């Protein structure tokens, strides 16, 4: 099974495929990554437990806020929505996030180029569902690291 040929790229750039990750949730790599993720990622934006709950992200919300795009399967653009700022620390230099991306199989480099946008290069051609699964895994890892850095114990 391969991701759909119909891109969600708002610019309609020929040959560029852009997907919101929830559209890829039925593909085995993405489904596996979703199942590895906690059912809810609490916000790490505050010491107040009510605030953490208010800005928490469910698995579904997580996937609706992640996008992957490529024109060749080797050079990727990854981005996430504003809601994920509460569960990961994108900051000016998101070192943990970049380290998490580069730790994924076949990823040779990752750069933060603007706000919640990243470029990733791979050593081999990846399908959109494979990159989406890596992105989910990276978000969960960055979430855990952000919580740890803030002295917040997570139940997972």
């Amino acid at each position: 099974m391969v991701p759909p040929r119909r891109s969600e790229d708002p610019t309609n750039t020929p040959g560029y495929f852009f997907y919101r990750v929830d559209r890829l949730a039925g593909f085995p790599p993405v489904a596996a990554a979703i199942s590895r993720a906690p059912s809810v990622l609490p916000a790490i934006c505050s010491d107040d437990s009510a605030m953490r709950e208010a800005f928490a992200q469910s698995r579904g919300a997580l996937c609706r806020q992640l996008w992957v795009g490529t024109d060749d399967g080797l050079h990727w653009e990854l981005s996430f929505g504003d809601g994920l700022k509460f569960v990961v620390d994108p900051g000016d230099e998101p070192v943990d996030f970049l380290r998490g991306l580069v730790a994924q199989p076949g990823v040779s480099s990752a750069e933060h180029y603007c706000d919640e946008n990243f470029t990733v290069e791979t050593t081999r051609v990846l399908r959109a569902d494979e990159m989406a699964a890596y992105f989910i895994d990276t978000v969960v890892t960055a979430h855990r690291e952000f919580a740890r850095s803030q002295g917040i114990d997570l139940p997972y």
Side-chain angles (χ1 to χ4, degrees):
M1 186 186 311
V2 296
R5 297 286 301 165
R6 187 167 173 257
S7 174
E8 296 171 320
D9 176 22
T11 66
N12 292 316
T13 305
Y16 185 79
F17 293 91
F18 190 74
Y19 302 101
R20 197 171 73 185
V21 169
D22 67 326
R23 297 275 316 247
L24 304 172
F27 293 90
V30 178
I34 292 168
S35 72
R36 288 190 296 272
S39 58
V40 175
L41 287 79
I44 311 297
C45 61
S46 171
D47 289 337
D48 180 349
S49 62
M51 289 290 288
R52 280 196 223 134
E53 252 181 68
F55 293 106
Q57 300 292 313
S58 68
R59 288 175 179 163
L62 168 71
C63 292
R64 285 189 300 275
Q65 293 191 65
L66 300 177
W67 290 268
V68 297
T70 188
D71 60 357
D72 63 3
L74 291 168
H75 301 89
W76 290 87
E77 178 179 354
L78 308 180
S79 59
F80 58 78
D82 286 342
L84 287 188
K85 291 181 195 178
F86 298 109
V87 298
V88 298
D89 181 17
D92 291 333
E93 282 300 317
V95 174
D96 289 336
F97 202 84
L98 293 171
R99 191 178 315 138
L101 284 170
V102 174
Q104 299 299 328
V107 173
S108 58
S109 68
E111 292 184 24
H112 179 223
Y113 73 89
C114 175
D115 299 323
E116 300 83 39
N117 299 290
F118 303 85
T119 57
V120 173
E121 288 189 29
T122 60
T123 58
R124 62 182 173 85
V125 172
L126 295 177
R127 296 184 319 259
D129 60 333
E130 293 171 310
M131 182 55 74
Y134 293 165
F135 198 14
I136 292 168
D137 287 341
T138 298
V139 167
V140 171
T141 299
H143 170 68
R144 287 183 180 125
E145 289 298 314
F146 186 29
R148 185 189 55 73
S149 74
Q150 299 301 307
I152 298 171
D153 291 325
L154 297 173
Y156 43 85

